[in-house]
C-alpha cells in the first residue's frame, strides 16, 4: 500500500537544484545578450521639456537609446489598467516611456541598450533631461485634501471611490449606548524580494517567435498582452517564469514599462536583450504598498458587542493605479475579520500621490484591515472595562453560521461569503499554546521589576483561492514519468512538491516519478497567475482534475487490455492492478504506450507497447476507438465559485527598552487554519516567512519619503529588513477546518502569516506602554515619544 | 595602470580558470558572466544582503564588493563547489533540505557559504551564535527559523560523526 | 549599479603605492577592504579615475603588541584584530568594538586603516583611536609622519591626510592594567551602523576616578570626545549617580544630525543612554 502524500511533510523536490547552485533565474538566461538600462525621473512631479540622448548614443557599445518619440501605436498609449472598475474615476497609468509629465521620482523616461550593463549605465549618465518642476503631492493626508495635485489633468487626487453599506449604520448610531471614534494609520512598505525584477527577450525573426523569460508572477497575462501589443500570433509568443527569487506581490503587475520595452527592443534591434533590475531601481521603480488612513466610528453595546461600524479611509495608490482599486476593496471587505458586523459601512477613496505606484504586497490591504479592527477591539475593551479576548468572543461569527455573508463586495466582484471556520476553537488553541494565565503572570512579575512588557493579540480572516481559474496539464510518458505543467509560476511556495503530492496520490505513483514544471506558457497557454494566496487552491484543484482525467483514461485502457471492469482497478506503485489479483498489473508507462498506437523506435518496451496497443483495440473497428485520444494526457481547468476563507490568531509578547524605545519580541505564537493541509512543512514555512515580513513591517521596515518626494532609505543599508538576529522563534499551532467549496478542502496560506502581525504588535505595544498605538510601523523613536505621553 | 580588460587567473571549486575582466568588473559578475557560475546571486550589489557570499581562501566575502582582478591567484569556493560530488549533498545542504530552510532559493547560496564558514570555525555554535553569524545574510521567504535549525542540525551531525 | 570605469593599479609595496598616488593624487582613491568604497562606487556616488589597491602590500598587514601599544597595519582586517590572542584581556573596549563591526564577511575583508581613513563618524575604529589617544602613521612622497587622533578627523568622511598620503599604520596605546573599558552602541539591526554609541576608558583609584576617556559615535561630524564628561568624572567617586550625571552632561554639547533612523533629539538622548551603560560596564571591568 502506498503512503498517502497529501498531508505529509514531504521534503521539497525542487530543493536540490537550489542547494547546488543550479537554480535558473531570469538573469541566468541568455549570457551574451545586450543589456538594457533605464533613465528615470529625478523629480517626483515635473514636465519634461526636452531629452537629449546624443551623448548617450555616442558611447562605444551602445546599440540604441529610445524615448517616447520612438514609440508607436498601442505602445504610445498609457499602459493598461490590470483590474478595471467602474468606480475607477481616473484610470491613470504610466506610459512605457514618459510622454511629457513625470509623476514620481523613478518613472522611466528613456531606455539604453548596450553590449553590457556597465556600458548601458555609462550611457545613462550622458542623457540630459530638462524639467519644469511641479509641486508634488507626497503625503497621503495632504493629497487626500487635493493639495497639491499629483496629475496636471486632474482637479483633485481621487483615483476612485467606493461606498458600501450592510444593514443600517445611521440608525444604529442614533440609538447606540456607546459611540467611539478613532483614527488609525499605516505607512508605506514594500515586498522587497531578494531577486529584483528581470526580463530577457529573444526574438527569432525567421520564425517570427518571441520568447520572454520574465521574473513575473503572471506569465500568461504577459504573453497575451505582448502578442496583442506587437500584433503577433499568440502561438508565436511564449513567456517563461523560470525560478523566481521571491515575489510577495511586487511581481504580479503586468505591465511594468521594462516588461514591454525589453521585448520591444529585442524585436527592433534583432538581438536578445536582457534587463536585470538593480536594487536602486527596485526601490524607485517597483511597486509598493500599505499607506492608508482610517477614520473609524463604532457603536457598541455595554457588553462590548459591536452594533455598527463605519470606516472612512484613504488609500495611497501612488502615482498610478494599474491595479485599479483592488487593494482598498480588499481592505474594506476583510476589515470585519472574524467578527459579525451586522451594520457596516465604508467609504473608501483611493488617492494619487507623487510616489511609486502601489499594488499588492503580501497581505494586500489586509494587514491594514486587521490592524484597524483589532485596535478597535482593544479600544472598545478598554473603554468598557472588559477583557478584550471576551469582546472578541462575543463578536465572533459562530461555527454554525457558515456560510456567512459579510454584506459587502469581495475583490473578485462577488459577495464576500466565508465558506467555513471555527473561530472560538482557533482562539482557544492559541491561548492553550500561549498558556495565557502563566504568560500574564510572568508579565506581571516583569512589570514589578520595572520592565515594560506587553501582550497583544491579532485576528484575521483571509479570503484566498479566488478565480477566475487555473489549469494544469498532466501526462504519462512511456517511461512512466508523470509530467505536470502549469502556466502559473512559483516564487518559492513549493508548488512543484505540493502538486506532485496531489498527483502522486491520485495516480498511485511515487513522488520521484512526478515532474512538475510551472510558469511556462509553452507547457500550458492558459492560466492566471500566482497571487492572492490562490495557487495551491485553484491550481491544486486543477492539477487534481487533470490527474483524475488521466487516471480515467488509464483505467479505460487497462480495462480493455486486462479485460476487467475499470472499477476493479487499483492504481498503486506506478502500475494499475486488478483488485484482489496482485499478480495482474500493468505499469503506467506500458499503458501510456498502449494508449498510443503508433510506431516506437526503441527497445523491447516499444515492442511490448505495440503488442499492448493492439490488444487494447483488438475489439474495435479502428486503431483509436471513437471518443478516445492517443496517449494518457489531459488538460483540465478549475474555476472556483468563490474564494475560500482561512483564519487565525496571533499573540505577541514584547519587551520595550524604556531608555531607547527598542522593542524585542519575546514570544510570537501563531494559530492558523487554512483548511486541509497538503504539506504541513510547507505551510509552516509560509507562516514563518509571513510573520517575519509582518514583524519587519511592524517594527523595522517602511518606505520613508522626504517632503520633496524622494525616498530617504532606498538601500538595504537603510530599509531595515529583519535578520535572523531580530526574529523570535515562532510557535505555531494549527486547526483544520476543511473548505466545503473545493474537492481538496483546502484554503490558501501564502499571506496569512503577515496579515495580523501589525495588529498583534500594536496591541502588545499598547499594553506595554499603557498608551494606544494607533499607527504602524513603530520605530524606536516613535515608541519613546509615545512612552513620554504615558500616564504616571 | 589601466582600465583595459586583463587576464584573471584564479581557482574556483578546485578548478583553475582564466578569463578577461575589466578592472571594474566585480567578482560576482565575473563568476556569473565570465565563468558561467550563476549560483552566486546578486540581491543588492551594495554589500548588505549577502546573497553573493563566497569563500575566498576559506573565508566568507561579499563577491559584489570585490573586483575580479583582486581575486587573481586566490582560491574561491562557490555554492557549486559545496557538494562532495555530483548528485550528492553536503551535510549542510542536506540539513537545509530536511529542515525546509529554503523557499525561493535566491539567498540560499549565500547562507550556505556563511554557515559553512561558521561550522568550520565553530563546529557547535549556540542558536544565538548562529543567528548573530547569519545576520549578514537576508532572507525574505523563510523567517530564518528553519535556516537556523538546519545549521544546528548540521552541527549536531558533526558531533555524531566525530564519535 | 555597476561602477564607472577606472584605472587599476596593484602596487607590491608601500613605496610603490606612494609613488602611484603621488602621480595622480586628486584622481585616485586607495582601495583597502572596499567595504565602504565599493558600495559607493556601485551607486556611482564615488567615481575615482584611479584605484590603487593595497591588498598586495604585505608590509601593511598584521597586528602586534609593541611597548604597551596595539599596532595594527593599515591593511589588518577587522578579523585579524578580532582573532588577536588576549585582546579582550588587554583592552575590552577594542574587543567590544571589533565585535560590533558589520558581519563576518565584512570583518573578513574590511580593514582597520580603511575604516579610519573613511572617517565615518558612526564607525567603531575612529572612536577606538580617539578613545585610546592613538595615532596613525601616514606615508607620503616626503616620508612618514605621525598624526594624533585629535588631529586626524576633520569632518564627515574627511581626514587631515594629504591627498598624496597613505594611512600606513595605527597605534593604539592600551590603557594601564586594571583600567576598565567598554564600547557600547545602539544599532537597529545586528551589525548595522550605530545610531549612537560610546567608547569609554576608566581608571579608578579606589572609588575615585583617576582618569577617564569618553568618546561618542554617531552624534557629531567626527568621533566626539566628551571632555566635559571626562572632567566631571575625574576626581569623582564612581557611583551610579556620578556616571549618570556624566552621561547626562553630554546632552547640551552635541548636535547630532537627524536622519531617517532618528532625529537629532533621539540620537542625543540615546547617546547619553549608551554612555551611561558604557561607563557602568567599564566600571564593572576595573580590576584592582
Amino acid at each position: 500500500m502506498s503512503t498517502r502524500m497529501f498531508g505529509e511533510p514531504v521534503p521539497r523536490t525542487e530543493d536540490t537544484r537550489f542547494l547546488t547552485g543550479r537554480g535558473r533565474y531570469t538573469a541566468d538566461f541568455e549570457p551574451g545578450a545586450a543589456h538594457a538600462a533605464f533613465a528615470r525621473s529625478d523629480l517626483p512631479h515635473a514636465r519634461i521639456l526636452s531629452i537629449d540622448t546624443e551623448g548617450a548614443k555616442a558611447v562605444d557599445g551602445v546599440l540604441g537609446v529610445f524615448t517616447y518619440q520612438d514609440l508607436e501605436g498601442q505602445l504610445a498609449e498609457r499602459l493598461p489598467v490590470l483590474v478595471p472598475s467602474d468606480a475607477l474615476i481616473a484610470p491613470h497609468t504610466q506610459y512605457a516611456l514618459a510622454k511629457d509629465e513625470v509623476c514620481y521620482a523613478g518613472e522611466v523616461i528613456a531606455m539604453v541598450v548596450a553590449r553590457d550593463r556597465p556600458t548601458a549605465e555609462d550611457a545613462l549618465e550622458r542623457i540630459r533631461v530638462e524639467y519644469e518642476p511641479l509641486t508634488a503631492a507626497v503625503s497621503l493626508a495632504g493629497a487626500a485634501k487635493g493639495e497639491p495635485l499629483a496629475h496636471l489633468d486632474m482637479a483633485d487626487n481621487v483615483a476612485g471611490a467606493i461606498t458600501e453599506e450592510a444593514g443600517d449604520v445611521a440608525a444604529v448610531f442614533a440609538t447606540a449606548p456607546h459611540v467611539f471614534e478613532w483614527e488609525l494609520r499605516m505607512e508605506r512598505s514594500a515586498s522587497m524580494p531578494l531577486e529584483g525584477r528581470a526580463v530577457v527577450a529573444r526574438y527569432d525573426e525567421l520564425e517570427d517567435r518571441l520568447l520572454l523569460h520574465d521574473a513575473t508572477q503572471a506569465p500568461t497575462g504577459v504573453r497575451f498582452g505582448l502578442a496583442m501589443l506587437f500584433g503577433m500570433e499568440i502561438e508565436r509568443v511564449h513567456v517563461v517564469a523560470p525560478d523566481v527569487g521571491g515575489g510577495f506581490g511586487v511581481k504580479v503587475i503586468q505591465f511594468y514599462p521594462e516588461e514591454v520595452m525589453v521585448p520591444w527592443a529585442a524585436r527592433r534591434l534583432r538581438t536578445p536583450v536582457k534587463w536585470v533590475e538593480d536594487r536602486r531601481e527596485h526601490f524607485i521603480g517597483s511597486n509598493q504598498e500599505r499607506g492608508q488612513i482610517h477614520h473609524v466610528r463604532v457603536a457598541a453595546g455595554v457588553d462590548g458587542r459591536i452594533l455598527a461600524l463605519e470606516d472612512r479611509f484613504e488609500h495611497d495608490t501612488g502615482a498610478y493605479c494599474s491595479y485599479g482599486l483592488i487593494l482598498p476593496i480588499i481592505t474594506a471587505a476583510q476589515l470585519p475579520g472574524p467578527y459579525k458586523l451586522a451594520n457596516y459601512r465604508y467609504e473608501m477613496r483611493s488617492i494619487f500621490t507623487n510616489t511609486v505606484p502601489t499594488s499588492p504586497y503580501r497581505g494586500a490591504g489586509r494587514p491594514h484591515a486587521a490592524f484597524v479592527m483589532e485596535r478597535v477591539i482593544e479600544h472598545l475593551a478598554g473603554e468598557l472595562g472588559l477583557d478584550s479576548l471576551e469582546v472578541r468572543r462575543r463578536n465572533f461569527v459562530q461555527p454554525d453560521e457558515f456560510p456567512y455573508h459579510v454584506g459587502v463586495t469581495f475583490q473578485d466582484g462577488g459577495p464576500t461569503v466565508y465558506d467555513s471556520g471555527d473561530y472560538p476553537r482557533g482562539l482557544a488553541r492559541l491561548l492553550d499554546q500561549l498558556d495565557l494565565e502563566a504568560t500574564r503572570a510572568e508579565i506581571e512579575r516583569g512589570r514589578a521589576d520595572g520592565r515594560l512588557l506587553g501582550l497583544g493579540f491579532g485576528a484575521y480572516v483571509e479570503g484566498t483561492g479566488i478565480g477566475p481559474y487555473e489549469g494544469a496539464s498532466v501526462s504519462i510518458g512511456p517511461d512512466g514519468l508523470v509530467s505536470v505543467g502549469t502556466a502559473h509560476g512559483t516564487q518559492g511556495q513549493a508548488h512543484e512538491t505540493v502538486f506532485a503530492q496531489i498527483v502522486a496520490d491520485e495516480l498511485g505513483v511515487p513522488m520521484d516519478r512526478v515532474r512538475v514544471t510551472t510558469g511556462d506558457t509553452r507547457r500550458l497557454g492558459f492560466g492566471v497567475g500566482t497571487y492572492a494566496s490562490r495557487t495551491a487552491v485553484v491550481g491544486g484543484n486543477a492539477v487534481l482534475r487533470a490527474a483524475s482525467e488521466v487516471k480515467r483514461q488509464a483505467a479505460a485502457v487497462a480495462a480493455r487490455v486486462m479485460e476487467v471492469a475499470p472499477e476493479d482497478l487499483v492504481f498503486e506503485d506506478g502500475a494499475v492492478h486488478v483488485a484482489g489479483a496482485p499478480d495482474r498489473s500493468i505499469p503506467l508507462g506500458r499503458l501510456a504506450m498502449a494508449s498510443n498506437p503508433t510506431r516506437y523506435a526503441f527497445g523491447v518496451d516499444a515492442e511490448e507497447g505495440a503488442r499492448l496497443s493492439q490488444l487494447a483495440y483488438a475489439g474495435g473497428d479502428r486503431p483509436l476507438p471513437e471518443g478516445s485520444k492517443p496517449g494518457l494526457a489531459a488538460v483540465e481547468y478549475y474555476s472556483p465559485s468563490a474564494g475560500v476563507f482561512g483564519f487565525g490568531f496571533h499573540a505577541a509578547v514584547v519587551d520595550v527598552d524604556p531608555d531607547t524605545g527598542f522593542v524585542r519580541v519575546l514570544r510570537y505564537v501563531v494559530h492558523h487554519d487554512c483548511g486541509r493541509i497538503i504539506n504541513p512543512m510547507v505551510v509552516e514555512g509560509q507562516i514563518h516567512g509571513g510573520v517575519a515580513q509582518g514583524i519587519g513591517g511592524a517594527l523595522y521596515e517602511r518606505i520613508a519619503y522626504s517632503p520633496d518626494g524622494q525616498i530617504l532609505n532606498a538601500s538595504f543599508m537603510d530599509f531595515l529588513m529583519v535578520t535572523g538576529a531580530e526574529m523570535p522563534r515562532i510557535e505555531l499551532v494549527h486547526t483544520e477546518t476543511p473548505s466545503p467549496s473545493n474537492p481538496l478542502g483546502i484554503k490558501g496560506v501564502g499571506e496569512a502569516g503577515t496579515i495580523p502581525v501589525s495588529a498583534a504588535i500594536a496591541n502588545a505595544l499598547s499594553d506595554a506602554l499603557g498608551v494606544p498605538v494607533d499607527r504602524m510601523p513603530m520605530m524606536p523613536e516613535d515608541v519613546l515619544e509615545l512612552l513620554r505621553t504615558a500616564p504616571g | 595602470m589601466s582600465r583595459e580588460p586583463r587576464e584573471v587567473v584564479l581557482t574556483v571549486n578546485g578548478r583553475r580558470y582564466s578569463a578577461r575582466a575589466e578592472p571594474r568588473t566585480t567578482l560576482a559578475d565575473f563568476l556569473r558572466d565570465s565563468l558561467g557560475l550563476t549560483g552566486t546571486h546578486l540581491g543588492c550589489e551594495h554589500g548588505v544582503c549577502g546573497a553573493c557570499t563566497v569563500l575566498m581562501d576559506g573565508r566568507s566575502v561579499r563577491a559584489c564588493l570585490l573586483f575580479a582582478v583582486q581575486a587573481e591567484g586566490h582560491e574561491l569556493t562557490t555554492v557549486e563547489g559545496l557538494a562532495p560530488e555530483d548528485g550528492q549533498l553536503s551535510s549542510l545542504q542536506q540539513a537545509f533540505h530536511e529542515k525546509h530552510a529554503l523557499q525561493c532559493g535566491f539567498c540560499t547560496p549565500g547562507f550556505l557559504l556563511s554557515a559553512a564558514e561558521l561550522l568550520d570555525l565553530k563546529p557547535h555554535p549556540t542558536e544565538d551564535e548562529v543567528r548573530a553569524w547569519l545576520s549578514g545574510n537576508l532572507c525574505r521567504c523563510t523567517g530564518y527559523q528553519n535556516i537556523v535549525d538546519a545549521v544546528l542540525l548540521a552541527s549536531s551531525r558533526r558531533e555524531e560523526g566525530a564519535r | 549599479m555597476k561602477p564607472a570605469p577606472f584605472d587599476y593599479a596593484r602596487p607590491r609595496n608601500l613605496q610603490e603605492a606612494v609613488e602611484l598616488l603621488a602621480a595622480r593624487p586628486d584622481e585616485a582613491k586607495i582601495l583597502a577592504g572596499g567595504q565602504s568604497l565599493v558600495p559607493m562606487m556601485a551607486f556611482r556616488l564615488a567615481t575615482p579615475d584611479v584605484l590603487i589597491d593595497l591588498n598586495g602590500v604585505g608590509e601593511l598587514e598584521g597586528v602586534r603588541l609593541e611597548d604597551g601599544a596595539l599596532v595594527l597595519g593599515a591593511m589588518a582586517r577587522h578579523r585579524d584584530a578580532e582573532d588577536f590572542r588576549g585582546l579582550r584581556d588587554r583592552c575590552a573596549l577594542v574587543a567590544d568594538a571589533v565585535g560590533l563591526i558589520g558581519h563576518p564577511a565584512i570583518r573578513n575583508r574590511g580593514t582597520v586603516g580603511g575604516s579610519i581613513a573613511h572617517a565615518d563618524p558612526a564607525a567603531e575604529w575612529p572612536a577606538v583611536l580617539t578613545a585610546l589617544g592613538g595615532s596613525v602613521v601616514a606615508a607620503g612622497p616626503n616620508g612618514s609622519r605621525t598624526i594624533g587622533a585629535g588631529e586626524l578627523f576633520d569632518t564627515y568622511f574627511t581626514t587631515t591626510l594629504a591627498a598624496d598620503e597613505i594611512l600606513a599604520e595605527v597605534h593604539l596605546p592600551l590603557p594601564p592594567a586594571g583600567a576598565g573599558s567598554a564600547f557600547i552602541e545602539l544599532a537597529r539591526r545586528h551589525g548595522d551602523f550605530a545610531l549612537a554609541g560610546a567608547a569609554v576608558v576608566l581608571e579608578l583609584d579606589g572609588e575615585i576616578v583617576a582618569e577617564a576617556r569618553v568618546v561618542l559615535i554617531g552624534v557629531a561630524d567626527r568621533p566626539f570626545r566628551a571632555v566635559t564628561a571626562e572632567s566631571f568624572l575625574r576626581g569623582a567617586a564612581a557611583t551610579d549617580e556620578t556616571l549618570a550625571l556624566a552621561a547626562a552632561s553630554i546632552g547640551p554639547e552635541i548636535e547630532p544630525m537627524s536622519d531617517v533612523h532618528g532625529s537629532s533629539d533621539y540620537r542625543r538622548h540615546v547617546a547619553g543612554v549608551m554612555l551611561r551603560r558604557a561607563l557602568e560596564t567599564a566600571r564593572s571591568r576595573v580590576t584592582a
Side-chain angles (χ1 to χ4, degrees), chain C residues 67-143:
Chain C
D67 303 332
L70 190 68
V71 181
L72 305 109
M75 289 300 289
R77 314 283 169 182
H78 307 310
R79 165 78 57 214
D80 297 331
E82 192 174 11
D83 290 347
F84 189 74
R85 192 175 283 274
L87 181 65
R88 179 157 291 281
D89 296 335
R90 297 265 182 183
C91 184
L93 175 158
V94 185
D96 288 349
V98 177
L100 292 168
I101 299 172
H103 307 283
I106 306 271
R107 296 200 291 273
N108 284 339
R109 193 70 196 161
T111 65
V112 178
S115 170
I116 290 172
H118 186 55
D120 185 331
E124 289 82 5
W125 282 115
V128 169
L129 186 76
T130 308
L132 296 179
S135 60
V136 301
V137 176
N142 303 317

Side-chain angles (χ1 to χ4, degrees), chain C residues 166-183:
Chain C
I166 293 173
L167 197 158
E169 200 165 76
V170 178
H171 287 255
L172 299 176
L174 298 179
S181 70
F183 199 122

Side-chain angles (χ1 to χ4, degrees), chain A residues 634-666:
Chain A
V635 172
E636 294 289 334
Y637 297 89
Y638 174 74
S639 178
S641 56
V644 287
F645 289 75
F647 64 95
F649 299 88
H650 289 198
V653 179
V654 300
D655 182 359
V656 179
D657 181 338
D659 291 335
T660 63
F662 271 48
V663 178
R664 210 152 59 87
V665 181
L666 299 180

Side-chain angles (χ1 to χ4, degrees), chain A residues 121 278 659-660 699 781, chain C residues 1 44 188-189 263 266 269:
Chain A
E121 290 189 22
D278 66 31
D659 291 335
T660 63
L699 296 171
E781 185 167 6
Chain C
M1 290 182 57
R44 297 201 182 197
R188 286 303 316 275
R189 296 174 301 181
S263 69
Y266 179 74
H269 170 74

Side-chain angles (χ1 to χ4, degrees), chain A residues 288-361:
Chain A
Q288 304 170 352
E289 206 220 300
R290 297 279 199 261
Q292 286 184 356
I293 303 173
H294 291 253
H295 318 267
V296 61
R297 280 177 78 216
V298 177
V302 288
D303 59 354
R305 275 180 225 276
I306 298 172
L307 305 175
L309 188 148
E310 179 189 67
D311 186 21
R312 288 173 297 115
F313 71 97
E314 284 101 34
H315 171 81
D316 176 3
T317 193
Y320 299 105
C321 57
S322 61
Y323 217 73
L325 299 171
I326 289 298
L327 286 166
I329 287 171
I330 296 174
T331 302
Q334 303 257 245
L335 187 126
Y339 310 111
K340 255 184 290 189
L341 301 184
N343 300 285
Y344 170 47
R345 173 189 162 85
Y346 72 86
E347 285 179 34
M348 169 278 281
R349 293 192 306 151
S350 187
I351 304 294
F352 284 123
T353 55
N354 293 116
T355 60
V356 171
T358 67
S359 60
Y361 158 36

